Amino acid sequence: MDAHDLDGRTELDRLLPRWHFREVHQVCVAASAGVVMRAVWETTWAEAPVARTLVALTRADVGRERRIVGDFLGGMGETVRAGEGEVLFVGVDTLEDGRARPEGSALEVVRGCAEPGLLKVVMNVRFGGGVLSTETRVYATDERTRRRFRPYWLAIRAGSGLTRRSMLRAIRRRALGGGSLP
């Protein structure tokens, strides 16, 4: 299976134009870009109970009042403000316990490291044309890593999709003035 290519339309496209695994979700939001992007930054796990429950299955530190954007990649990466309408979450992981990640920030490693055994993970939250979307891309730096990651991706994909959709609905609700859930 070959990696897919895109022509570079967003920061996500420029950072990780080729991928082996991909997931996309979107919702329509009738609000201004400023209001929606502020909601992206302010929405908490309390406002996305399905996402909070699913993420809590693998991480113990998902506090109800913590902001989703600040927590999304946990210890694996970093959040990057890509522009007015896009936020990127950039991470690098290995499938081998105890293996050190290459030196540098996650952003630097994703941009320039091709060392075998790495998974480059980039997710965005983007708003444009009335559509709030999230896209996740994973690129394996070698065939063995891609083969080893595939069963995990297939196992988590449904839960990951529920998490992303819950998050998008919570952001839309906040942007439209619905506030947080009780």
Side-chain angles (χ1 to χ4, degrees):
M1 172 181 182
D2 293 327
H4 302 279
D5 287 302
L6 281 184
D7 62 355
R9 295 183 315 268
T10 66
E11 287 302 315
L12 174 66
D13 295 331
R14 286 186 273 286
L15 185 57
L16 201 63
R18 297 170 47 84
W19 68 90
H20 295 107
F21 305 94
R22 178 179 181 232
E23 181 177 357
V24 180
H25 300 282
Q26 61 186 30
V27 295
C28 293
V29 184
S32 71
V35 167
V36 173
M37 293 310 293
R38 186 171 38 257
V40 167
W41 288 99
E42 294 175 355
T43 301
T44 65
W45 290 109
E47 297 169 76
V50 172
R52 184 181 70 247
T53 300
L54 291 170
V55 171
L57 294 173
T58 59
R59 290 179 43 198
D61 63 342
V62 181
R64 289 177 48 86
E65 298 311 314
R66 290 174 64 145
R67 292 186 175 144
I68 293 172
V69 167
D71 278 356
F72 213 87
L73 284 178
M76 189 178 79
E78 57 201 58
T79 302
V80 178
R81 189 182 300 255
E84 285 185 35
E86 186 176 17
V87 178
L88 293 176
F89 305 90
V90 182
V92 177
D93 204 358
T94 70
L95 298 178
E96 299 173 26
D97 289 338
R99 179 179 173 181
R101 201 185 85 186
E103 293 292 321
S105 70
L107 187 60
E108 291 167 340
V109 173
V110 167
R111 280 187 176 142
C113 185
E115 181 180 311
L118 298 178
L119 292 168
K120 299 178 179 187
V121 181
V122 181
M123 182 188 110
N124 76 349
V125 177
R126 183 170 181 258
F127 183 71
V131 177
L132 176 66
S133 64
T134 178
E135 181 173 347
T136 303
R137 296 179 186 177
V138 180
Y139 181 83
T141 55
D142 65 279
E143 181 64 27
R144 179 176 179 263
T145 302
R146 186 171 61 90
R147 281 194 319 269
R148 289 184 65 206
F149 181 72
R150 184 176 196 70
Y152 174 78
W153 178 259
L154 293 174
I156 62 115
R157 190 154 184 207
S160 174
L162 287 172
T163 300
R164 304 303 193 274
R165 288 189 297 277
S166 173
M167 178 185 77
L168 291 173
R169 286 191 306 267
I171 293 167
R172 176 177 60 192
R173 194 168 39 253
R174 179 179 275 270
L176 296 177
S180 63
L181 294 173

